[in-house]
Amino acid sequence: MATDKTFLALLASLLVLAGCGGGDSNGDGGSTADCGSQYNPASNVLASFSSFDVNEPERLDYHMFRDVIAGVQPANDGDAYGQSVAEDVFSETAHFNGGSPSSGASAYTSVRNPLDLINLVIGEGTINNFNVGRRYISTCIDAGNAADYSNKASSTEDKPNRIVFSEDEGQKEVYYYPVLRWVYSPDEADKVIRVAQYRGSSDSWLDGAIAGAQFDSKTFSAIGFNNPELLTASFTASNNEERLSLQQDFIDLDRDEWIRSSSNTFDFADQTGVDCARVVLDYAEQTAEVFTSTCSLSGSDCDDPAKREAQYTRTQDYCGNFDDGTGNSYATQAVPERQ
C-alpha cells in the first residue's frame, strides 16, 4: 500500500536525521512566521511520577495492544485453537508491556512500559513542553508550512535535549527517551509523523522500544489524544534476543500484525520450538491468521547471528515473510471501536 510505504520511509528518515535546532525553547509554540526547520520548541523534560503503572480503566483504553488483545479472542468459546492463540498473544505481550495479569485473562488490569506511558503523558497534556510542541505543529499546519519538533535536535549537536521520566514509588525505574519528534511535511504526504524512542539502562531487561504513528493533518489536534492512521512499534529485550513488534492500519486495510520473535525458542498455539509467531488480524472480516516457524538451518548455524539473519530470517522459511492465506485462520470476536 502506498500510504504504508510513505509512512515507513518517513519513519526511517526520522530515526537518523536530527533536524535543525535553534529557536526559543521557552516560547508558547510560536507564530505562523516561526514555522519551519529553523524553529524547534523542544527543551529538556525531567519529569517525576508517583508510579509508572497504568491501572485506571479510562487510561487502559489507550494502551497500545488493546485492539490486538481484544481482536484475537475467538468468536466461538469452543474454539480450542483460537483460545490457545489468544492466551499466548496475551502472555507473550505481557513480557514487554508489563501487562498484568500475565495469563489467564482476556484483558489487562495494569500495564507498565515506556511507550504507553509517554503516549498517555502526551494525550493528557501533563508536560508543558510537549503541549508547546503540539501547538507549534498545529499552528504550522494552519499556515501550510513544514514543522519539526525534536528533542534530539539542539543548538549543540553533542548535547541534545533530555527527556527523562523517574518513578518515586514501586520499582523506582527511570525511563530515558533519546528521541521524541513530531514532523509535519505538507510537500510530501501532508501528514504528521510522531516518533518516540526509549533506551533501557544497562541493567534493564527491556533494551529499547520505539513507536511511530501517522496522523491526518486535517484532524490533528493540539489537545487530547489524536487517533493514528498508521502505527508501528517494536520492543527489544535481553540483549536483543527477545523481540515484539506491532503494525496497525486504521485506514484502508483495517488490520493489525503482531509478531513475536526470539533467538531462543518458545511455545505458541500448542506448538513447541517456535522462534517466530505472527498473527494477522482482519477486523472487517473478523478473522485471525496465524503463522509460526522455527529455524530451518542445519547444525549450529541457527546459533550464528550472521547466518541466521542472511539465510533464515530473510527467506520464506521465516514466519514474518509467509504470504497471507497460507496460515491457520479462525473466526474472531468483533472489536466495535478500534483505538
Side-chain angles (χ1 to χ4, degrees), residues 19 91 152-153 172 178 197 213 236 240 251 259 322 324 328 334 336:
S91 61
K152 189 174 182 180
K172 295 187 177 181
Q197 182 183 17
T236 57
N240 199 36
I251 57 177
I259 302 179
F322 290 172
D324 289 356
N328 297 319

Side-chain angles (χ1 to χ4, degrees), residues 22-330:
D24 178 8
S25 64
N26 295 315
D28 63 358
S31 68
T32 56
D34 295 317
C35 294
S37 61
Q38 298 306 310
Y39 180 78
N40 176 23
S43 65
N44 284 326
V45 173
L46 308 176
S48 179
F49 299 83
S50 60
S51 174
F52 287 165
D53 293 337
V54 177
N55 47 34
E56 305 87 348
E58 66 276 8
R59 302 181 83 207
L60 283 170
D61 281 344
Y62 293 100
H63 87 78
M64 186 179 301
F65 291 92
R66 190 202 71 164
D67 291 351
V68 169
I69 297 304
V72 293
Q73 302 301 321
N76 183 353
D77 291 340
D79 183 349
Y81 177 76
Q83 190 60 49
S84 176
V85 171
E87 290 175 356
D88 288 342
V89 168
F90 187 84
S91 61
E92 291 296 331
T93 300
H95 297 322
F96 295 85
N97 79 337
S100 179
S102 59
S103 62
S106 58
Y108 299 120
T109 57
S110 176
V111 298
R112 179 190 179 89
N113 67 87
L115 294 185
D116 278 325
L117 183 60
I118 197 168
N119 183 62
L120 282 169
V121 166
I122 292 169
E124 293 170 347
T126 56
I127 302 293
N128 182 61
N129 186 251
F130 299 169
N131 298 337
V132 170
R134 287 207 294 172
R135 288 198 299 270
Y136 168 61
I137 297 294
S138 181
T139 300
C140 291
I141 291 173
D142 293 340
N145 295 335
D148 190 347
Y149 168 107
S150 173
N151 74 298
K152 189 174 182 180
S154 67
S155 56
T156 306
E157 291 185 3
D158 61 349
K159 191 178 180 181
N161 293 308
R162 300 170 63 210
I163 297 178
V164 182
F165 292 172
S166 58
E167 185 183 31
D168 297 332
E169 300 175 359
Q171 300 180 39
K172 295 187 177 181
E173 282 192 278
V174 177
Y175 288 165
Y176 299 93
Y177 298 91
V179 176
L180 177 62
R181 190 176 187 188
W182 281 272
V183 173
Y184 172 57
S185 304
D187 295 335
E188 293 188 39
D190 197 27
K191 302 291 184 180
V192 177
I193 306 294
R194 186 186 79 194
V195 177
Q197 182 183 17
Y198 158 82
R199 183 183 66 238
S201 60
S202 58
D203 58 350
S204 300
W205 180 77
L206 190 63
D207 301 324
I210 186 167
Q214 172 182 293
F215 305 98
D216 183 359
S217 64
K218 298 178 180 62
T219 59
F220 183 82
S221 174
I223 59 174
F225 290 89
N226 285 293
N227 294 324
E229 295 181 324
L230 300 166
L231 182 144
T232 182
S234 64
F235 297 76
T236 57
S238 190
N239 198 25
N240 199 36
E241 290 189 343
E242 308 296 333
R243 298 166 294 276
L244 179 70
S245 67
L246 173 68
Q247 292 188 33
Q248 294 186 291
D249 187 344
F250 298 91
I251 57 177
D252 297 332
L253 296 178
D254 191 24
R255 62 177 250 165
D256 289 350
E257 182 177 69
W258 177 97
I259 302 179
R260 168 79 169 97
S261 62
S262 175
S263 300
N264 308 297
T265 60
F266 56 96
D267 297 340
F268 190 84
D270 297 329
Q271 184 178 351
T272 60
V274 171
D275 64 4
C276 176
R278 172 172 160 243
V279 180
V280 177
L281 294 168
D282 187 321
Y283 291 92
E285 297 296 327
Q286 293 180 219
T287 60
E289 187 171 15
V290 183
F291 309 86
T292 59
S293 64
T294 190
C295 186
S296 57
L297 304 182
S298 61
S300 61
D301 287 353
C302 288
D303 298 324
D304 185 320
K307 291 181 179 179
R308 187 183 184 94
E309 174 70 14
Q311 301 176 35
Y312 173 54
T313 61
R314 294 182 180 274
T315 71
Q316 283 297 323
D317 292 333
Y318 188 66
C319 88
N321 302 323
F322 290 172
D323 294 330
D324 289 356
T326 62
N328 297 319
S329 296
Y330 66 92

